[in-house]
């Protein structure tokens, strides 16, 4: 556990948002929440009206005597100032970080993992101390973010923090954002800004849907032709090894895992441009049409390629998981190809092309297993009855019968993450964050054991209609609604209180130079400086 | 008339957009249009394959001998380089601007007006000349934008322009964008960036919906309390006289009129905070409830205030028109007030509160008429039978029976502008620009005379859900679809060609640092540099 000094309701001058929830025709001015601007809401918050003033001159973060993170561990201090820009000082105020597991900074050299839930606690018990306890450095990072959210300005502009005790831990271990760099290339700057914002919202997984039909921006050392031919542009629209390394390290320093997705056998048009014979030639009658379909599952060269390719990927990306896709395989091209037809016959698959798909996926999973990585797959792979390792994560994305699917996947004993209700690329007029907020991931029928298999969810922002020009305001604060659902307690469902806190949280993001769009008519004390 | 050198289809390397129109399940790569990246499409374009290379060292714009704009007229040269950043040079290439009406730069000191249609023509007849003829400086500005759109890069990155002849004029004289600075305050920087983008799209009216219920950011010299009390913040969220002047001048230099809207008697909650007795006190039973309704139409002080206020407005804003609003008046509060009830009785209005509304509007129109300004009003004012000056512009905004309304308004002999199909604050998934593009403003039943009364339209971006963080990408290139509908010939309706040109046009806006969002999966040679 870990505790954080809590924020009493700010004075009226703190977040004087004149925003309205269009619940009635009368426009309501957004109120200050009793929980201030905390987002996502911690598990346990004890409030007090006693406030301390903070000044900029002498605020310090120190390791507590008891802390296993020794004096050489400068990372927290570094992070604190570099990423959030809102840690403040007082002549006496000391944030006392304590009780890391592990020796010195070892823990901080690790990759963040999903297994243990980081349970931070933070308290501002008596002036001049705040105490932050966390078993892992990742929890301490979350605690520092929470600490920053407790600071508010009074009507004179002075920074204040109230006596507060917080015990906190995330409800779900996997809290992700999917970004798609294939439909549109996303400049590194955009990815980093969104990782920063993810940290502000306590997201801990960046699901990088890095390649797809439209383009292959990943520059592979082993197969450089893939991006040379498959990227929108071979030099300006690629992610070099140095770029990828930078993204991973930037994310790691913020407690965020990077799970790359290399989706096959469908969604691979761009792969075919730089890798001959990888895709299935489609036929028009008795002749090749010139078009190509999914990965060709009947050639040995395909599996040789995949072996080499995923060997590289498993080295480049340190996370324990790779997302292997497996969604939306179109059988039309396979059906048109006489060699495929013959293979189907030989294998006794009849006309059931999902058996061919499973044949491919099974071989792919075996290949990836040899790299000692776990894998995530889209739900179709499970639906088609492919044999999966017990630690496979099944990603549920299809709307309509989501609860039933969750029931089935967990019933079969697989770990699951949920995205179906959180496709943020779909937009509509009004406050759709409320729809995302109201989702209850465990609403499906199932035993306690089944529910435990749901380790979290991801907000997906597919790339057809977003690029550097509009991605960030379209993602935030809509994804913040998902962030709270995945972090806070199940009973945190007061939409009106959420509106008040989220209004303040979005202004904080804006003040930190993130163009998070407004919830409704309102203003921020510091408006966005860009265009 | 005025002619512009035209662009031949660029080489494949020019705008190699791998974008797709989701018309079929097969994804189509965006093609180069034979009209290159021209947007909006000029009225008459003659193409040639003969191209000239341009270099940066010696490009010049000169006044032709015949030009009435003498050598002291540096404005075009200035504008050219300052606003569009894409005029190029060749060792021999000269853009020869000619035939302005008026003496020297007099014309350029004027305000742009809507009355005459600026008819520019541009030709690149033989190397090394391009000739730009326009009767007014405003047409020449449009011609320079068109000229810049003719320049394209070949596969070696060299800038080229093809032998081209263009005769051009706008189909409609009033081509506007409505921005709302009341629901959210829009920093000046955002307004200027969007004026710049309006010029790129040949919009010529900025309809500034400057105040509304939510806030009153206009700092009035006569009534400073209005913004002191009614703005979101009295110092950081106001438009000072200097700000307003800057907006007007920035717009004027780009051929854009600024038509301010001061909407009454509804939409005035924010006015009431700084002006006692202006709004109607609502009653709960026999006692005032503390809430206020529309402007109080029964007090002489109301009209004294309006006289002084609009005297100031008519001085601050040089345009010949003021938009007076008049939409969505809620009668609930008026009905509750015993003094209003008594007045209704005295006037013999019975229970018809639209008569009271008309009473107010009639007096307001008389007041504004004394300032020698024309006025625009929302359609309800016409619908309610208020007596209007013949030169009143009726603004049609209500969807559903738009054609019928257009028929009625023009049938009564009033000049009309259309916004109903172009409410860009409503968003949905996918390429909604096509919906805006397909609108035909003259589709209603009416005589030729009636159709001539339709002088144009406006794309409206109401402010409930937009501020500095997301306004610009939400407006562009969706408003560009409206721009072409209002400028180009009626038969310019090829949606596929429009997609190709608009894809290139949006990349040009991005290259000019405007975060115009993508139409679909694609890339731009130069992606947006911001976040």
């Amino acid at each position: 556990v870990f505790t954080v000094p809590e924020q009493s309701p700010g004075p009226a001058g703190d977040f004087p948002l004149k925003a309205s929830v269009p619940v009635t025709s009368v426009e309501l001015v957004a109120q200050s929440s009793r929980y201030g601007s905390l987002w996502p809401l911690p598990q346990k918050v004890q409030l007090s009206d006693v406030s301390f003033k903070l000044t900029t001159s002498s605020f310090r973060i120190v390791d507590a005597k008891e802390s296993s993170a020794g004096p050489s561990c400068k990372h927290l201090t570094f992070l604190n100032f570099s990423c959030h820009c809102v840690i403040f000082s007082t002549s006496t105020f000391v944030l006392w970080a304590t009780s890391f597991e592990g020796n010195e900074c070892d823990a901080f050299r690790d990759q963040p993992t999903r297994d243990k839930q980081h349970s931070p606690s933070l308290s501002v018990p008596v002036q001049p101390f705040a105490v932050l306890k966390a078993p892992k450095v990742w929890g301490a990072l979350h605690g520092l973010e929470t600490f920053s959210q407790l600071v508010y300005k009074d009507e004179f502009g002075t920074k204040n923090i109230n006596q507060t005790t917080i015990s906190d831990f995330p409800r779900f271990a996997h809290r992700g954002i999917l970004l798609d760099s294939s439909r549109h290339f996303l400049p590194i700057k955009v990815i980093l800004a969104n990782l920063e914002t993810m940290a502000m919202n306590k997201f801990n997984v960046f699901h990088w849907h890095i390649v797809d039909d439209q383009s292959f921006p990943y520059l592979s050392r082993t197969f450089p032709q893939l991006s040379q031919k498959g990227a929108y542009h071979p030099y300006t629209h690629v992610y070099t090894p140095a770029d990828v390394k930078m993204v991973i390290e930037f994310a790691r320093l913020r407690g965020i895992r990077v799970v790359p997705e290399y989706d096959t056998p469908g969604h691979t048009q761009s792969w075919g441009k730089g890798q001959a014979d990888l895709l299935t030639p489609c036929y028009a009658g008795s002749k090749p049409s010139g078009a190509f379909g999914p990965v060709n599952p009947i050639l040995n060269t395909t599996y040789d390629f995949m072996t080499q390719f995923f060997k590289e990927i498993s080295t480049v990306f340190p996370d324990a998981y790779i997302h292997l896709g497996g969604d939306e395989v179109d059988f039309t091209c396979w059906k048109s190809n006489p060699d495929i037809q013959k293979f189907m016959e030989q294998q006794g698959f009849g006309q059931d092309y999902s058996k061919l798909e499973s044949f491919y996926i099974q071989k792919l999973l075996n290949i990836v297993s040899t790299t000692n990585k776990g894998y995530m797959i889209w739900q179709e792979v499970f639906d088609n009855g492919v044999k999966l390792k017990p630690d496979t994560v099944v990603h549920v994305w299809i709307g309509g019968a989501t609860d039933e699917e969750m029931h089935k996947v967990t019933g079969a004993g697989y770990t699951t993450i949920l995205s179906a209700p959180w496709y943020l690329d779909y937009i509509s007029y009004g406050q759709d964050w409320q729809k995302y907020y109201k989702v209850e991931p465990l609403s499906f029928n199932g035993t306690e054991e089944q529910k435990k298999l749901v380790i979290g969810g991801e907000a997906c922002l597919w790339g057809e209609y977003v690029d550097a020009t509009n991605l960030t305001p379209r993602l935030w604060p809509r994804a913040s609604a998902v962030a709270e659902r995945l972090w806070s307690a199940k009973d945190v469902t007061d939409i009106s209180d959420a509106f008040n806190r989220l209004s303040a949280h979005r202004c904080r993001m804006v003040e930190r130079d993130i163009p998070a769009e407004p919830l409704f008519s309102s203003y921020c004390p510091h408006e966005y400086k860009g265009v």
Side-chain angles (χ1 to χ4, degrees), chain A:
Chain A
V1 279
F2 129 127
T3 36
V4 189
E6 173 191 333
Q7 182 175 16
S8 82
D14 183 23
F15 285 106
L17 298 162
K18 294 177 184 170
S20 317
V21 191
V23 174
T24 69
S25 63
V26 179
E27 293 191 347
L28 305 167
V29 175
Q31 307 295 319
S32 288
S33 164
R34 63 187 292 259
Y35 296 113
S37 64
L38 285 170
W39 193 279
L41 193 67
Q43 297 284 340
K44 211 169 172 184
V45 181
Q46 286 173 50
L47 301 160
S48 147
D49 287 338
V50 181
S51 69
F52 313 136
K53 295 203 186 309
L54 300 173
T55 67
T56 41
S57 53
S58 64
F59 178 82
R60 285 184 302 140
I61 299 182
V62 298
D63 291 312
K65 286 193 299 281
E66 304 87 333
S67 176
S68 61
S72 72
C73 187
K74 303 292 180 209
H75 299 87
L76 279 179
T77 313
F78 160 74
L79 264 176
N80 170 31
F81 287 99
S82 75
C83 35
H84 298 137
C85 322
V86 285
I87 293 295
F88 308 93
S89 312
T90 167
S91 53
T92 53
F93 202 90
V94 172
L95 177 61
W96 201 23
T98 185
S99 295
F100 299 117
E101 281 177 5
N103 189 23
E104 295 286 326
C105 280
D106 285 352
F108 204 71
R109 278 193 289 271
D110 289 347
Q111 289 295 324
T113 58
R114 78 138 199 266
D115 305 317
K116 299 241 176 80
Q117 298 205 330
H118 324 300
S119 312
S121 75
L122 178 54
S123 61
V124 188
V126 286
Q127 208 169 355
F129 289 112
V131 179
L132 170 59
K133 295 183 192 176
K136 291 273 195 189
V137 67
W138 317 115
L141 291 179
H142 293 317
L144 287 170
E145 172 61 34
T146 304
F147 178 82
S148 80
Q149 297 186 359
L150 292 174
V151 178
Y152 62 95
K153 285 185 205 167
D154 63 22
E155 53 208 306
F156 306 103
T158 307
K159 281 152 188 161
N160 280 257
I161 189 165
N162 282 36
Q163 195 179 55
T164 307
T165 304
I166 290 178
S167 300
D168 206 1
F169 56 87
R171 182 176 173 209
F172 294 103
H174 186 115
R175 303 177 305 281
I177 296 278
L178 178 150
L179 297 182
D180 166 2
S181 57
S182 173
R183 272 71 179 222
H184 289 96
F185 180 77
L186 302 177
I188 290 290
K189 187 178 174 182
V190 172
I191 294 176
L192 300 189
N194 281 281
L195 286 168
E196 189 74 274
T197 318
M198 285 172 64
M200 295 177 201
N201 288 273
K202 297 189 171 66
F203 278 107
N204 66 349
V205 180
F206 170 35
H207 176 163
W208 192 354
H209 188 87
I210 190 167
V211 300
D212 204 298
D213 283 331
Q214 287 78 2
S215 75
F216 196 103
Y218 173 76
L219 201 166
S220 162
R221 287 183 194 271
T222 320
F223 300 100
Q225 289 298 306
L226 289 170
S227 60
Q228 185 69 30
K229 303 287 187 187
Y232 280 131
H233 188 285
Y235 304 117
T236 60
H237 288 61
V238 293
Y239 301 110
T240 66
D243 290 335
V244 172
K245 209 168 171 178
M246 193 201 300
V247 167
I248 294 168
E249 181 64 3
F250 191 95
R252 193 182 70 83
L253 287 171
R254 286 151 186 83
I256 298 170
R257 302 161 50 201
V258 178
V259 176
E261 178 180 354
Y262 290 89
D263 190 357
T264 66
H267 290 278
T268 48
Q269 289 292 300
S270 70
W271 301 51
K273 296 182 182 172
Q275 186 65 19
D277 299 331
L278 181 64
L279 304 187
T280 307
C282 314
Y283 277 65
S286 60
K287 286 177 184 169
S289 69
F292 294 90
V295 165
N296 193 329
I298 69 170
L299 300 180
N300 287 334
T301 51
T302 291
Y303 301 101
D304 294 342
F305 168 82
M306 291 297 172
T307 303
Q308 283 189 76
F309 184 76
F310 279 101
K311 191 176 165 195
E312 172 183 322
I313 298 308
S314 69
T315 313
V316 168
F317 291 91
D319 197 77
Y321 284 80
I322 299 175
H323 202 301
L324 296 175
D327 59 319
E328 297 185 312
V329 183
D330 183 356
F331 297 146
T332 319
C333 182
W334 278 351
K335 285 179 184 169
S336 77
N337 182 303
D339 297 329
I340 302 268
Q341 291 161 7
K342 201 162 129 194
F343 184 83
M344 291 282 289
E345 212 171 305
Q346 287 166 354
Q347 297 285 329
F349 290 165
Q351 290 301 307
D352 188 353
Y353 284 82
S354 75
K355 285 188 176 153
L356 182 60
E357 181 184 347
S358 295
F359 171 87
Y360 165 79
I361 293 272
Q362 198 69 68
K363 289 177 78 84
L364 179 70
L365 296 187
N366 294 342
I367 287 168
V368 174
S369 292
T370 65
T371 68
N372 287 320
K373 294 284 187 182
Y375 40 77
M376 301 176 59
I377 39 90
W378 295 110
Q379 71 178 72
E380 287 98 318
V381 177
F382 166 81
D383 295 344
N384 288 337
V386 174
K387 190 181 162 192
L388 301 166
K389 283 197 297 182
D391 63 342
T392 301
V393 178
V394 179
H395 198 162
V396 173
W397 70 276
I398 300 178
T402 308
D403 275 359
E404 200 185 323
E405 181 77 8
M406 296 290 283
H407 171 77
K408 279 187 201 161
V409 174
T410 55
Y414 292 108
T415 304
T416 310
I417 63 170
L418 180 65
S419 280
W422 293 319
Y423 264 41
L424 271 56
D425 50 322
Y426 291 110
I427 56 169
S428 57
Y429 184 74
Q431 298 197 37
D432 57 2
W433 71 271
Q434 298 187 4
K435 183 175 67 182
Y436 306 130
Y437 190 78
K438 287 172 182 165
V439 171
E440 170 43 54
L442 304 186
S443 63
F444 64 91
N445 275 328
T447 63
E448 273 311 296
E449 279 310 300
Q450 279 177 272
K451 309 246 164 151
K452 276 183 192 154
L453 288 167
V454 181
I455 57 165
E458 293 184 1
C460 299
L461 191 61
W462 295 101
E464 282 84 351
Y465 296 102
V466 291
D467 69 2
T469 63
N470 63 344
L471 183 145
T472 309
R474 192 164 289 187
L475 186 56
W476 309 104
R478 294 163 76 228
S480 302
V482 183
E484 177 148 304
R485 183 53 53 234
L486 292 174
W487 178 282
S488 303
K490 185 175 181 176
D491 62 1
V492 177
T493 54
D494 180 338
I495 203 86
S496 169
D497 186 65
F499 176 79
N500 294 334
R501 285 183 293 111
L502 189 53
S503 295
H505 179 55
R506 104 89 189 174
C507 283
R508 176 169 46 231
M509 291 190 273
V510 169
E511 190 165 357
R512 292 177 186 178
D513 277 336
I514 299 300
E517 66 180 22
L519 298 178
F520 196 55
S521 302
S522 62
Y523 81 104
C524 294
H526 299 269
E527 300 291 355
Y528 184 59
K529 295 281 185 298
V531 166

